[in-house]
Structure formats: structure tokens, C-alpha cells
Amino acid sequence: MTSTLPSLSGLSDAEVAERVARGEVNDVPVRSSRSTQEIVRTNVFTRFNAIIGTLFVVIMTVGPIQDGLFGFIIVANTGIGIIQELRAKKTLDNLAVIGEAKPRVRRGGRTLELSNSEIVLGDLVELGSGDKITVDGAVAEAEGLEIDESLLTGEADPVIKHLGDPVLSGSFVVAGSGAFTTTKVGREAYAAQLAEEASRFTLVHSELRSGINTILRFITYLLIPTAIGLVISQLYVSRSNFPEAIRRMVAGIVPMVPEGLVLLTSVAFAIGVVRLGRRQCLVQELPAIEGLARVDTVCLDKTGTLTEGGMDVEKVQPLDGAPLDRAEHALGALGTADARPNASLQAIIDAYPSPDGWRVQQAAAFSSARKWSGAELKDAQGEVATWLLGAPDVLLPVGHPALVDADALGSQGLRVLLLARTPTPLDAPDPAAGLAPQALVVLRQRVRPDAAETLRYFERQNVAAKVISGDNALSVGAVAGSLGLPGAQNPMDARQLPKPVAVAVAATAPAATAITATTTATATTTASATTATTADPEPEPDAAATDANAAQFAELADAVEAHSVFGRVTPQQKRDMVAALQSRGHHVAMTGDGVNDVLALKDADIGVAMGSGSEATRAVAQIVLLDNRFSTLPLVVAEGRRVIGNIERVANLFLVKTVYAVFLALATIICRVPYPFLPRHSTVLSALTIGIPAFFLALAPNNERARPGFVRRVLRFAVPAGVIAGTAAFTAYMLARANHATGEVADTSTATLTLFIVALWVLAIIARPFALWKLLLVVLMALGFLLVMVVPWAQHFFQLHLVGLRDPLTGVGIAVAAGVLLEIVWRWINHGLPQPRRFSRQG
């Protein structure tokens, strides 16, 4: 859909109504979670539900209802999964509404804040620094408008936009202001794809989920041949009693399916989302919870993270005899030059009202890349000059006397700006030429009261904190030092860092977030179709240049690892520093709130944005702290560790069961004996040693940092433990069978007792370190099994009855011996694998 440019007053109400009637609205749904239908479908129609459901139907045709209990448990599990995910969906949807950006749209000469879905074709959308562009359009107004299109094209330098230039959804404003007319809305706009990927409740790029899927795929391959072997062997031993053979086959297959593992993984993630939601923390991508558990380095932007957004003018210190009143009038006039002032300029506006007789003739908004803003001002006497306000160490040459005062003030944690005057026009190639310093503007920053304790938390957890700021290094170091950050006494000016070519480091960084991965290909096509010119391909760098660049990148990584505080960092340098840390194997979280943080947020393993930050930062971040509380971050990290650490624990339980089930099936086939258990016995064992305990363990506190190698670690314990458990149960079963006087029920009961004790021992190992509630959990499971074995109706229902003392005592002895072997295996694994430091004994 294409429209003509409207008047600069925007569309009238009648024109809007016409477009709505024609369907020319931006009706793309922005979803923070899956739909209810998707949640139900993905929980019901699973591979293992199909397997278990089929076995349930089969067992209901050949056996009593006791042998079909596993089917009802699957129904309950599926219901729990659906309920928990629906709770997570409700939480995410509510938070998404709170955090939704509302573009300012001009209609009938009035500026309105509307949701994205209310924008229509031909609307005039106003732009300011930090705004995200959510629909395609053409520039209708531009005052120093600079737009960053790096999320679409990969080009780091902002693009200066003029009247008529195209703007694409997915880009964002880094400087200046303006307005654009929407030319594509709804499904035709590129925002249709961007919004979908920026906030989808997804499980992509999850090592945990990939590892579980690998294990489940292997188990699926085992099921069919094992089932065929069991049917044939049970037909042989039961003398062609088909119903009995089917019951025994089902009893052997059902324990092989770790049906609760997928459920508890989903439930743990969902509950994590709900818990974080209660802390006003919006999880825009589900893998962020997993990523949080792996974070070992947090990069912090000072402004808006360690300090609050607002500032106060401490004083204005004239330089070189410049009159104070003239400097104050110039500051007041500069405050009127920017319709969207940043925190520093807002403090100046609050302190100095607009002076009478001063007029702004031309303005340049603040840019994080150049570190200054300015305006051509005509004073009350009619004299015209260019006034600049920015970083003293950027505007002044090295060695200038004013820098001594600026550094002294900055070392006290104050923000210092230089006000300077020059006859050079603002649109000249170098507006700072002929600069005459007029005054130092000293601003006091408001440090967040919770920042010091948050930094101490990260130190206790062995998570390195790096403060990366565009401010003066001494000022940043002073603020960080006042909060007790280790290494703050040695801040580094980022202008002294090596500057490798960005393309060379791209390969070292992990895959970008879902928003980037999806947008790049389509946006490149869109951009090439929209713009009038295309750039020539860059020549391939030669080997020497590549080696030199790699050396520079290594130097950068060394410097970033060695220091904790960095000042005068450009947006591109923030991105390079994140990539440098990642190249050294660090898992990096980046926090920020301004447009200068967007590139680093996008490339970090985990991007965390403040709710009060710019639209662009909230769009690329995986996690948004809607209440702007820095103290929420430790809770977010702790939640990630709890989820991932506990899923690994319960995965051990489920896979031990799978391994011993496979072992018992193979032993039964080889020895040509009846399978030791009926489905009802498997149900009791699974519920008391795995299902119920795993549910509680999955929700327990856990502060261990997640490590790579999930599948290897789980299998290293599950395989030997499962073999030990299967061997113990089958040995007790075969010895009981040798005592022909006891009967088949007693033989099965002995094997069930043995397997329960070994499985309970596994549970006790997995639950370590112990807490009171964990000990109670193990004891209650033991009491539950005792009731099954001694209560008459339970004995009859589950067909369990011990006879005599020899077989039961033999089974207990075998189980104890197996427990000793389990302890040896556990200690060997702990000794052979590097262990994470335990930060808490809460369990």
C-alpha cells in the first residue's frame, strides 16, 4: 500500500476513518507468548504422549485398570503443563502491554500516543532520539535526523536522513528529530516480521532443549526393536498367552519413556517466567532464562543502570574570564533547541529557563558517537554564533588548561560538560574549529541506592562486572568506586583501546538474537529495493591485514578482561568489547537503556534493558526490567540458575529410570524369563522415586552457575547408575525365582522392593546438598512405598506381597550393595569433573 504525503498537520479524523474502513491499518498482532491453541497443541500432541497413549489403549484391551494407571498420570502431567504455560502466557501478555512502546502520531495538528495497531496508512509519525521505527515510511520532516540501520544492514554508522528518504521498520533514531509518513502498514510492512520475532515466546538456541531432544530421539530409536523383542520373548515364556505377553511388554516399554522430563522442563521455564513477572521483569525470549544461568560477566552502562536517569546542576564554572550570565543564557537557549532532551540537557533546562531575546537558528542534537550537541544561537543583541555543549576531552585539545579542572571534578564522580562558543557555522565540516571555552557545567548524578548491594552480589557469585560508559573515565571510575566495584580505581579511557575491524570479530561472537537472525536477510532485500543506490562490494582483506586485525582484537580482549571500568566508549566499541569477552569463552549479559547500548545489547548473550529506556533498547533486549530497578538483576540471574540447575537434576532421575528399563528389557529377552514387573509396578516405582520428587526438586532453590556439556554430564551418571539399578533388580528377581516355593507374585515383589531401594538411593544422591525439606521428601516417599507393601487393599490392588524373610532380606542386601556402588560412582564423577563453587546451602 502506498500513499501520498499528507499535510504536516497529519491526517484528519475523517481520513483516518476512511483508511480503517479500507483495512489500511497496522493490524499485525504483537504477541509476547504463544496462543492458547499452540500451548494446548504442543502439550497434547507430543511424540511420547502418542506412544504412551497407544500403550494405554492396548493395555485397556488386555488387562485390568490397575495396569493402565500410567495413562491417567500422563493426562494429569499434560494438564499441569498446559495450566502452567497458560499462567506464563497471562503474565507475559500483561507485562507486554505495560512495556509496549507507543509511537507519537500527529493527527489534525495534535500529537497523540497510539499503539502500533492503531497506526494507519499515511499517518504522520513523529521521531525523536531513541525511538524505534515500527512501520515503513518516507521522511516528511528532518532536523539533524540520524537513523541507525545496523539491525537491518549490519552497517554500524548512522544514516543522515533528508526529506523523502525511506525509513524501514527495525531501524531506530540515534540523534535529531523529525517525522515520517507511513507508506506500508500491516502485513506489507517489514514490522510484521520484526515484531513477531522480537517478542515471541520461543525455545530456539537452547542447549538444554537441544540436549534433551537428542536424548529423546535416541530413546525413540530404542523403543520399537525393544518392544518387538519383548513381545516375542514374552510369547515364548507365557506359552503363547497373548494378553499376558502384551502386559509384560507394556510394563517394559513404559519406564523407558521419560515422559515427565519434557513436562518438568516446560513447567520449570513457565514458572520461571511467572516468578520473574511478579518482579516486573518481562522475558521476551524464553532461552534468556537459560542464558541467565550461564552468565559469568555483566557489562553495565553507568547512566540509567548504576545511576538514575535524572541529574542536577551542581554549578557552572566560567572559564577564561567569560561572563557567567552569558553562559547561563546560552544554556537556557540550548535547552530549547532539542525537543527530546537527554538527562543532562533536561537538568540544564530545569536549572536555566529560556532567556528573552535569544533565538535558535539551527540545531544539532546530541550524538553518542560525537559526544556533543549544539546550536547556532542569535542573542538579544543580534549576534550569531555557534554554541557547543559536550565532553571537554573531546572538544578540547590535549593539554588544554580547562581539562585539569574537568578531570578534577570528574574524579569526584561528577559529570562535567564543556560549554564553548565558535564563529564556525554548525553545518561546517568541523564545527569545533576556533572553539572558545566559556564554562564547565557540573552535574551531580543520582546513584541508585540498590546499586552497591547488587554489585556485591555479583562479586560473591564470581560474576565479573564491567562498567562501560560514554562518560569521562575518571568520572565513571569515581562512581563505580563509591559503589565498591573491584578495579574501579584503575579506569581506562576507551580511546586508548585497540580498534579492530568489526567484521573480523563477528565470527567470534555467538549467533545474534532472534530479532537479528530473522531480520537481516529480509531487511537487506527490502533496503536494496527501497534505496536508490547500492554500495560496491568491499574487497576481501589480505592475509596480513587479517592477522594484524586478529592481533588487535586479542589486545582488546586482554584489556577488557584486565579492567573493570571504561569511559568514553563509543556504541561500536561497546559492541566490540562484548565480542572480545565472548571470544575468551565468557557468557556476557549487557544492560543498558539508551540508543548507544543497542548494538551491544543485540550481540550480547543476554540483553537486559530498563523499562524507561528507549524503544530501540527494549526491542532488542531479551529481558526488560519494567520497574527500572537494578536490584532486580540478581533475582533474574538466580531464577535462571534455579531453572537450569534443577532441570539437570531431574534429568538424572528420569534417565536413570530409562537406562534400567532398557537393561531389564534386554536381560529379560536374553534370559527368556517373564518380565519382572507389570505396568502397575512401574507406575508405583516411577511415581515415588521420580515423578513426585522431581516436581519438588525442579522448583527448589539452586545457585550453581550452569555449564556447557549438559548431555555428557547427565549420561555420565545416569548410565552407570541405571545399569547398577537394573542389575540389582534383575539379580534379586532371578534369585527369588530360584526359590520355587514363593510364587510369581512374591518374585515380582522382591524385585520391586530391591529396585525401589536403589532408586530411592539415586534420589537421595541427586537431592544433595541436603536441606530439611529434601530429607522429609525422601522419608515420605519411603513411607508411601511402605504403605503400598503393608496395607491389604494396596497389596491386592498393586499385586505386591512379600513371602518369607529370605527373598526380601536378600533383595535388601543386594540394594544396599548397589547403593554402595552408586556412592563410589558419584564420588568418582565428582572427582573427575570440575565442580562449580556452591554459593548457597539453601539446597
Side-chain angles (χ1 to χ4, degrees), residues 9 86 149 158 184 262 277-278 298 320 405 512 517 663 709:
S9 62
L86 288 176
E149 298 178 345
K184 290 182 180 179
V262 178
R278 290 172 182 163
V298 176
D320 299 336
D405 292 338
F663 179 89

Side-chain angles (χ1 to χ4, degrees), residues 69-83 263 267 695:
L69 288 177
F70 64 87
F72 297 104
I73 292 176
I74 292 301
V75 173
N77 285 349
T78 302
I80 292 171
I82 291 173
I83 290 170
L263 164 76
V267 168
F695 184 81

